[in-house]
Amino acid sequence: MKTLTVCVVALLAHLAAASFDCRRTSQTCTSPTTCSYAASACDCASATNPSQGHDCGLVTAQVGVGACASADPCSTGGICYDAGGTATCYCDEDTYGEFCGLNRLAVACETGKMVIGVNPAGTFTGHAYIEGKRDESSCNLAIVPTPSPGDSIPDDWLGYALDLANTGTSCGDIVAVNTAGKTEYTRTIVVQYEADFLTNIDDLFTAKCVFNDAGALVYSGIVKLDPASLTGNLNPKSTETEFSPVGLTVMSAGTPVVSTTPIVVGSEIVFTFTIPTEYESMRIVTAVANNTVDASLKTLDVVTASCMDAAAFPIAVEAPTRGTGGTDKREITLKLRAFHFDGNDQVGFKFTVKVCLTANDADCDPETCNGVAASGFGRKKREASDDEKVITRYITVRDSLAGGQDGQTGLTNNDCQIPGQTTVAMVAMGIVIFTLIILCLVLIVRSLSRRTRSESKQELHA
């Protein structure tokens, strides 16, 4: 399967709202809270401790306290609560994952096909399939397989997925709709929560992909159905959000950087931005670092008007640079030294990236920065916001204050220590020298012994 970054860039994985209904056998309330057949929500008033959330599984007293007071790692769909000193995310009914960053309904669009993903809340035992094709096994979503380089399913998806061509399958051909220079493809999917029957509290949604005349993907989402097209009284699910084609990977010492794994102050961080081949070029418009604490927010301008900001010079390693020696306009790298603000080891980065097609490629041309031509990417005029995408990332940075401190943050007494390899070499050399000394002594003793015997023989003959 493709990585998350490749998914976002090449596939356009876009997500939508799911649903939770405690009347479904697979979606229950946290004991001892109760559910009534007359309502879809859990009754949190019956909980032992004041609770909240779609399943009443979140104890209110644990929300936003303890480990969550200084840093909140949860995405929009999550609520941070303290679990024994650890900041943990409680996901709403629409999201899942460690930080609630994944949605339960998803569609990933490619030329000629779409990949549909469903990961219902609870212990799902039902079926998800193309509407009207329940009996066609090839039209039913299957359990997401182990990641494989050969498929198009995003690596971080869980639950069920279906990789389906737009035409030439038993699931029916999509009739493309062409309007205003765009081509639209849609499929309707049923999420049936019970194994043996369809009910009016099951879900129905359409996956939608829109391409422009240049073949570039410009829109993807789960969209609301016309009520007249519904089969039965299924729940229509809807959301419409603009496509973001920019992918970002963050690496340090050749290893991916994730928010839960700290890196050391001073370590080199490489931010790599990529776009698919349907686009011609891009540039970083702005980059701002922050301490992630809303109550006492601190920020550092890293890139301003597509050039390295002077305030970021202490942490700068390399300004935004195009890939392949400066010739690849679809890749930009930014290299910084790891740092953190006082009082918090979590650092947030917010990037604004402009993406250009062939027609407006000049808008992403390099700009003169600090007197060096072609060192920044973009012109300093204001650009249309429709082409600018916002990307955020969080990292954890800590001082390397292990044993052998010298009183300086991030430094150790390594210069006063003998490396293990040197110690081994010295021991080996000592053994060799000792062996040579013993051999020399043996040779001297043997030489003296021979000389003594020779002299004794001469005296006997005399």
Side-chain angles (χ1 to χ4, degrees):
M1 287 194 278
K2 292 179 170 59
T3 64
L4 174 61
T5 300
V6 174
C7 164
V8 172
V9 173
L11 298 180
L12 176 64
H14 198 80
L15 308 169
S19 70
F20 179 93
D21 192 317
C22 64
R23 294 172 294 179
R24 298 168 182 154
T25 56
S26 62
Q27 297 179 340
T28 58
C29 304
T30 302
S31 179
T33 56
T34 58
C35 177
S36 168
Y37 68 86
S40 61
C42 298
D43 179 14
C44 296
S46 58
T48 303
N49 297 307
S51 300
Q52 62 190 75
H54 58 280
D55 63 351
C56 304
L58 180 60
V59 178
T60 303
Q62 297 176 338
V63 175
V65 299
C68 297
S70 58
D72 183 352
C74 307
S75 299
T76 304
I79 299 175
C80 186
Y81 69 96
D82 185 277
T86 301
T88 307
C89 299
Y90 173 89
C91 302
D92 62 18
E93 64 270 31
D94 302 329
T95 61
Y96 69 100
E98 183 179 5
F99 304 111
C100 308
L102 301 170
N103 282 44
R104 295 193 177 278
L105 303 181
V107 58
C109 303
E110 289 188 89
T111 301
K113 70 174 182 178
M114 61 176 65
V115 183
I116 301 161
V118 174
N119 186 27
T123 56
F124 184 72
T125 57
H127 312 279
Y129 50 90
I130 304 300
E131 186 184 32
K133 300 292 182 178
R134 170 69 184 89
D135 295 329
E136 293 277 352
S137 60
S138 61
C139 303
N140 281 247
L141 280 67
I143 294 176
V144 172
T146 301
S148 169
D151 67 28
S152 298
I153 302 174
D155 282 357
D156 53 357
W157 281 13
L158 298 176
Y160 300 77
L162 178 62
D163 186 345
L164 187 61
N166 293 338
T167 59
T169 72
S170 59
C171 304
D173 293 345
I174 295 178
V175 178
V177 178
N178 298 290
T179 56
K182 297 178 181 178
T183 304
E184 177 179 313
Y185 301 86
T186 62
R187 279 198 186 276
T188 304
I189 298 93
V190 175
V191 180
Q192 178 183 317
Y193 289 87
E194 305 301 329
D196 300 319
F197 53 90
L198 188 69
T199 74
N200 68 331
I201 61 172
D202 289 325
D203 288 334
L204 183 76
F205 65 94
T206 51
K208 184 176 182 179
C209 302
V210 182
F211 296 81
N212 62 18
D213 285 344
L217 185 59
V218 295
Y219 178 86
S220 168
I222 306 300
V223 298
K224 187 175 182 178
L225 293 172
D226 181 352
S229 69
L230 297 179
T231 302
N233 190 26
L234 304 182
N235 297 326
K237 310 305 301 179
S238 65
T239 186
E240 295 186 84
T241 307
E242 186 181 354
F243 162 55
S244 178
V246 182
L248 172 60
T249 58
V250 185
M251 306 286 288
S252 181
T255 302
V257 175
V258 295
S259 60
T260 55
T261 302
I263 58 176
V264 178
V265 167
S267 301
E268 183 175 293
I269 312 172
V270 181
F271 298 87
T272 302
F273 302 80
T274 55
I275 54 175
T277 55
E278 291 89 350
Y279 294 84
E280 188 65 23
S281 58
M282 65 174 166
R283 65 177 170 90
I284 301 174
V285 181
T286 62
V288 180
N290 66 81
N291 65 344
T292 73
V293 181
D294 293 337
S296 56
L297 187 65
K298 299 178 182 178
T299 62
L300 173 65
D301 291 329
V302 178
V303 175
T304 302
S306 298
C307 296
M308 288 298 298
D309 196 289
F313 285 2
I315 63 168
V317 176
E318 183 177 275
T321 304
R322 283 177 170 168
T324 317
T327 61
D328 187 352
K329 297 189 291 184
R330 297 185 180 93
E331 178 180 297
I332 292 178
T333 58
L334 170 64
K335 298 180 181 180
L336 304 174
R337 280 183 286 270
F339 76 102
H340 66 74
F341 294 89
D342 290 340
N344 189 20
D345 58 7
Q346 189 173 64
V347 183
F349 290 90
K350 182 178 181 179
F351 302 94
T352 303
V353 181
K354 180 175 178 61
V355 178
C356 298
L357 294 168
T358 302
N360 67 328
D361 182 36
D363 290 341
C364 292
D365 281 349
E367 178 69 27
T368 298
C369 297
N370 303 313
V372 181
S375 61
F377 290 89
R379 307 179 184 281
K380 295 185 178 180
K381 65 182 180 181
R382 181 173 177 80
E383 305 290 351
S385 60
D386 287 347
D387 296 331
E388 294 180 357
K389 313 302 175 186
V390 176
I391 304 172
T392 57
R393 287 293 185 275
Y394 297 92
I395 64 173
T396 302
V397 182
R398 293 180 181 169
D399 303 338
S400 59
L401 292 177
Q405 299 173 354
D406 64 359
Q408 298 296 320
T409 300
L411 301 177
T412 60
N413 288 329
N414 290 334
D415 293 340
C416 301
Q417 301 173 359
I418 300 175
Q421 296 93 329
T422 303
T423 302
V424 173
M426 292 177 65
V427 171
M429 186 178 296
I431 293 173
V432 171
I433 293 174
F434 178 77
T435 302
L436 290 175
I437 292 174
I438 296 298
L439 288 174
C440 289
L441 290 175
V442 170
L443 291 174
I444 291 173
V445 170
R446 292 182 64 183
S447 177
L448 290 175
S449 176
R450 289 176 180 175
R451 182 175 178 181
T452 300
R453 287 198 298 270
S454 176
E455 290 176 351
S456 297
K457 289 181 181 180
Q458 289 177 1
E459 289 177 355
L460 290 174
H461 289 293

